[in-house]
Amino acid sequence: MQTFWIGERRVGPEAPAFIIAELAWAHDGDLDKAIRIAQGAAAAGADAFSIHVTHLPDYMVRHYGNPDTVSAGKPTSAIYDYLDKINLGFEQVEALVEATRNMGLAVCLMPNDFASLHFCEGLNPDAYVLAPACFVEHDFVEAIGQAGRPVILRIGGATLGEIEGTVNRLRAAGADRLLLLHGFQTYPTRLEETNLRVMPLLSRLFNCPVGLADHLDGGDALAQVIPPLALAVGAVAIEKHITWDRAEQGEDFESALDPAQFATFVRYVRAAQTALGVEAMPPFSADVQKYRQVARKRVVAACDIPAGTVLQPEHLVCKRSDEGASPEERPYLIGQVTAVDLAQDAPVTQAVLIRTQEVMA
């Protein structure tokens, strides 16, 4: 499986988990707030910051009215006007990208229309994010591929055929660094919809590294515990929404963590990867060696044994002890002669026995 770079971070099976903080619309149209959220992501230990870029007239019709497009409690009768109010303009996005890059975060941009894609090219993003809504917009997919950058495909809600067609189109256009992100947003997504076990299948089918775009309720402790489990089924990346303050209930808050929660989330992901280790039997560490010395049994005297006794099986027993021969040496101790008196539970080693040549003499 290919390992590649997004910015200064490696992404793939042999690399540390790639953690993406997704901004979405959590900025509520406020550039300063967006920069604060990016600062929170950087301080929390995220690797990348994902920014939506939208030129609304090219993205949505004015009479669009699906209430499932925005967070609970937000306007649903005039969604275009609401999103237009909280959308970051191109100049604001440019300032945000510069600030984010200066924080050391990889910049992942998700252009939602051609105007936004043309603008994003001038910002030199580290990766593009392709939303599943664009998968069947073939000319847009090809334009993303022709940019020659890594592409993160959010595949939630897409059929296998749509994913296959998009992956093939991107590769044909020249994009060979692809990352699939499994998961979708339903403000928030139910635990039962997470289905982590499908991820290895996706990786095999499309010969791509796969990650998790988690959208569990950010107010539930499980939102910090479940995503790290994805590492155990092969995830190389985990994306989670981030907001400034969940209590404000800004746009996209349902699945988001605030910076302090995100820091805990990052710590859990890193700890999970450390605990999973590698698929090999490594050399014993100092801790394992210590455990062996402490936990293993030794050969000791089963009873009081006078000096000059020819040892028989009933004289020897294996117990946990600081001293004594290893149990695997017990058969070789039988028939040898004790050189000293041994009290019950005394360690039995070659040092307390008469050497063979001495017995023969």
Side-chain angles (χ1 to χ4, degrees):
M1 186 67 62
Q2 181 188 23
T3 296
F4 56 88
W5 293 82
I6 293 182
E8 297 181 356
R9 273 76 168 185
R10 286 193 310 135
V11 179
E14 305 303 321
F18 186 65
I19 300 178
I20 307 168
E22 184 187 359
L23 175 63
W25 302 78
H27 48 72
D28 291 316
D30 183 340
L31 174 59
D32 290 338
K33 184 176 182 181
I35 292 175
R36 290 199 306 273
I37 295 172
Q39 290 170 335
D47 296 302
F49 198 57
S50 181
I51 303 168
H52 292 206
V53 186
T54 307
H55 185 248
L56 216 58
D58 290 317
Y59 175 63
M60 180 182 293
V61 297
R62 285 188 171 273
H63 55 272
Y64 180 73
N66 191 326
D68 294 328
T69 305
V70 296
S71 293
K74 306 302 179 183
T76 57
S77 59
I79 292 177
Y80 182 101
D81 293 337
Y82 166 63
L83 292 180
D84 191 38
K85 180 179 179 181
I86 67 169
N87 191 36
L88 292 179
F90 285 171
E91 289 185 5
Q92 293 172 303
V93 171
E94 184 173 5
L96 176 58
V97 166
E98 181 180 1
T100 299
R101 188 167 278 133
N102 289 337
M103 297 171 199
L105 292 167
V107 174
C108 301
L109 298 183
M110 189 177 88
N112 287 310
D113 50 81
F114 269 109
S116 297
L117 174 58
H118 295 326
F119 165 72
C120 288
E121 267 301 286
L123 301 181
N124 193 29
D126 296 301
Y128 277 130
V129 180
L130 186 60
C134 299
F135 282 13
V136 291
E137 195 175 353
H138 298 167
D139 52 348
F140 187 78
V141 172
E142 290 166 0
I144 289 280
Q146 290 165 359
R149 304 182 188 279
V151 182
I152 300 171
L153 293 85
R154 292 206 180 111
I155 61 174
T159 66
L160 289 177
E162 289 168 345
I163 300 170
E164 180 181 28
T166 302
V167 167
N168 289 342
R169 251 178 217 95
L170 287 169
R171 286 175 171 157
D176 59 354
R177 293 168 292 172
L178 307 180
L179 169 65
L180 307 182
L181 283 188
H182 164 65
F184 64 94
Q185 169 73 294
T186 49
Y187 300 93
T189 302
R190 295 183 301 118
L191 178 64
E192 294 80 2
E193 299 283 5
T194 304
N195 193 21
L196 298 179
R197 285 184 172 174
V198 75
M199 297 171 70
L201 172 64
L202 294 169
S203 184
R204 292 194 303 272
L205 284 176
F206 304 110
N207 193 29
C208 291
V210 65
L212 174 68
D214 177 72
H215 294 91
L216 292 174
D217 184 351
D220 189 330
L222 291 178
Q224 299 181 37
V225 176
I226 297 298
L229 295 178
L231 300 176
V233 291
V236 303
I238 299 180
E239 179 185 77
K240 186 67 180 171
H241 278 258
I242 187 169
T243 190
W244 180 247
D245 183 355
R246 282 185 51 82
E248 294 178 358
Q249 296 195 359
E251 184 58 46
D252 288 321
F253 82 93
E254 289 93 340
S255 299
L257 305 174
D258 62 32
Q261 292 172 313
F262 206 95
T264 300
F265 168 75
V266 170
R267 182 166 61 87
Y268 286 175
V269 172
R270 302 297 185 213
Q273 188 161 34
T274 299
L276 284 169
V278 296
E279 194 174 348
M281 280 294 290
F284 286 160
S285 66
D287 286 343
V288 174
Q289 292 284 12
K290 181 180 179 181
Y291 169 75
R292 280 176 60 86
Q293 294 300 318
V294 169
R296 295 173 79 85
K297 293 181 178 181
R298 307 290 179 185
V299 179
V300 298
C303 57
D304 293 341
I305 305 174
T309 301
V310 178
L311 292 175
Q312 300 300 317
E314 60 269 20
H315 292 135
L316 305 176
V317 67
C318 297
K319 295 183 180 181
R320 286 186 63 166
S321 172
D322 294 324
E323 298 177 279
S326 172
E328 63 188 358
E329 298 177 32
R330 183 172 179 269
Y332 305 105
L333 299 176
I334 295 170
Q336 298 197 50
V337 180
T338 55
V340 296
D341 292 337
L342 296 175
Q344 184 177 4
D345 287 340
V348 179
T349 66
Q350 291 292 341
V352 300
L353 303 176
I354 298 175
R355 289 177 297 189
T356 302
Q357 55 266 40
E358 293 176 350
V359 173
M360 295 177 64

